[in-house]
Amino acid sequence: VSTQSTGKKRIENNIFKNIRTMQDLNPIVLPGNYGYVLAGVTATALTVTLLNFRISKFRKAANVEYPALYADDAEARKDKAKFTFNCAQRGVANLMETYLQTTLFTLIGGLTLPRVAAGLCGAYCVGAIAFAVGYSSGEPLARYKSFGGAGVLVRVALLGSLITAGNTLFYVLTNTAVSYTHL
């Protein structure tokens, strides 16, 4: 029993030691232009919301009832409205497949390059809208026309921004004093 008690005491001491140590970490100071990053991330949320509202129009025209995510494939082959609804739904689904990493890349990349990250995030929104609108035309290959196909390039650029920010985060996490006031 005393061995268990001693082990429990040791664990409690380590937990409290870690809590005291965390107070000694250097704070992350956000760059003055980080508001642009937050505006970019907010724009992605608005983009997702508006495109999802847009799908409602296609759902109603195709007479696809909830909770069906897509119209039945056999019906969509015969009915242009159902096919177009499936295309519109897929266009937004593609956006949702890349939304989380785009948001993450923007937030972290913005720690070192706030204007660049925000600009790339804005370009991602424009590309996502063009992709979804092109896809919902009922002609799936139309999703690659205009700026819609540039979404891949924008995500690669955001990945570069993440790598740059990763270097900065490494120094922050290893208790090296970092200041972003020069940005």
Side-chain angles (χ1 to χ4, degrees):
V1 174
S2 65
T3 307
Q4 262 184 334
S5 175
T6 306
K8 184 178 177 185
K9 191 76 158 169
R10 194 174 328 130
I11 290 171
E12 288 174 358
N13 286 340
N14 283 337
I15 290 172
F16 290 119
K17 179 183 174 191
N18 288 337
I19 289 172
R20 277 186 248 118
T21 305
M22 288 181 348
Q23 293 172 354
D24 296 330
L25 287 175
N26 292 323
I28 296 175
V29 179
L30 298 177
N33 295 329
Y34 202 75
Y36 292 122
V37 173
L38 298 177
V41 170
T42 301
T44 62
L46 290 173
T47 299
V48 168
T49 301
L50 293 173
L51 289 175
N52 275 312
F53 281 138
R54 189 172 179 272
I55 289 176
S56 298
K57 176 181 81 168
F58 292 100
R59 181 179 289 278
K60 186 175 181 179
N63 198 25
V64 176
E65 299 294 323
Y66 285 105
L69 191 55
Y70 291 96
D72 181 66
D73 192 46
E75 290 180 25
R77 290 174 200 240
K78 298 175 190 172
D79 185 342
K80 180 74 173 169
K82 289 184 185 208
F83 181 77
T84 303
F85 165 71
N86 283 355
C87 288
Q89 187 77 318
R90 182 65 205 126
V92 175
N94 182 273
L95 169 63
M96 296 310 299
E97 290 168 2
T98 58
Y99 179 72
L100 180 62
Q101 55 270 46
T102 300
T103 302
L104 180 68
F105 294 170
T106 302
L107 291 172
I108 294 176
L111 290 173
T112 54
L113 300 167
R115 289 182 178 159
V116 171
L120 291 169
C121 190
Y124 173 81
C125 290
V126 171
I129 291 168
F131 184 91
V133 169
Y135 215 142
S136 67
S137 69
E139 197 59 46
L141 290 179
R143 68 187 186 265
Y144 296 118
K145 293 180 181 173
S146 175
F147 190 68
V152 173
L153 297 175
V154 171
R155 285 190 294 280
V156 169
L158 285 169
L159 179 59
S161 185
L162 173 66
I163 291 168
T164 302
N167 183 47
T168 302
L169 287 175
F170 171 77
Y171 289 111
V172 169
L173 294 174
T174 56
N175 274 332
T176 302
V178 176
S179 173
Y180 298 102
T181 55
H182 66 281
L183 296 175

